[in-house]
Amino acid sequence: MTDTSTRPARAAATRWDRSALQTSAELLLGLSFAATMAFGGYAAATGRLAVFAHGAGVVFLVTLTCVLVSWFRAVEREERADRPAVSPLAAIDAEYRR
């Protein structure tokens, strides 16, 4: 059983603290997806506006990549903050004393 009484609890609200840039990128992701679907559907039905569908698709893929990288970096930062920092010399010393 793990004693959690001495370990500080992480606030649940910190996960949702986003910068304005991250928020706008996530909003652009949703809007570009909607535009891609709308222009793509219209282009498939009428044969027009295919250039707009391609452009919206490119914006969607670029934004998706940026948002995913941002999310993974945030998770990596969270995991790194949870681990206690041990210097390499302290690890060698602990191994030597065994």
Side-chain angles (χ1 to χ4, degrees):
M1 195 158 136
T2 305
D3 178 24
T4 58
S5 62
T6 59
R7 198 168 42 179
R10 187 173 39 183
T14 58
R15 181 167 287 184
W16 301 109
D17 292 340
R18 301 268 187 212
S19 69
L21 182 64
Q22 287 175 326
T23 303
S24 59
E26 291 171 5
L27 183 62
L28 179 63
L29 177 67
L31 292 174
S32 63
F33 177 75
T36 301
M37 294 297 108
F39 286 133
Y42 185 77
T46 63
R48 298 180 186 168
L49 295 179
V51 173
F52 290 117
H54 291 293
V58 168
V59 170
F60 171 71
L61 289 177
V62 169
T63 309
L64 177 66
T65 304
C66 293
V67 168
L68 286 176
V69 167
S70 172
W71 286 347
F72 283 122
R73 283 187 178 172
V75 168
E76 190 176 77
R77 256 185 268 118
E78 256 182 38
E79 288 177 353
R80 216 178 303 134
D82 288 344
R83 272 187 256 141
V86 177
S87 71
L89 293 177
I92 292 170
D93 186 45
E95 194 66 34
Y96 176 74
R97 291 182 184 215
R98 280 191 189 175

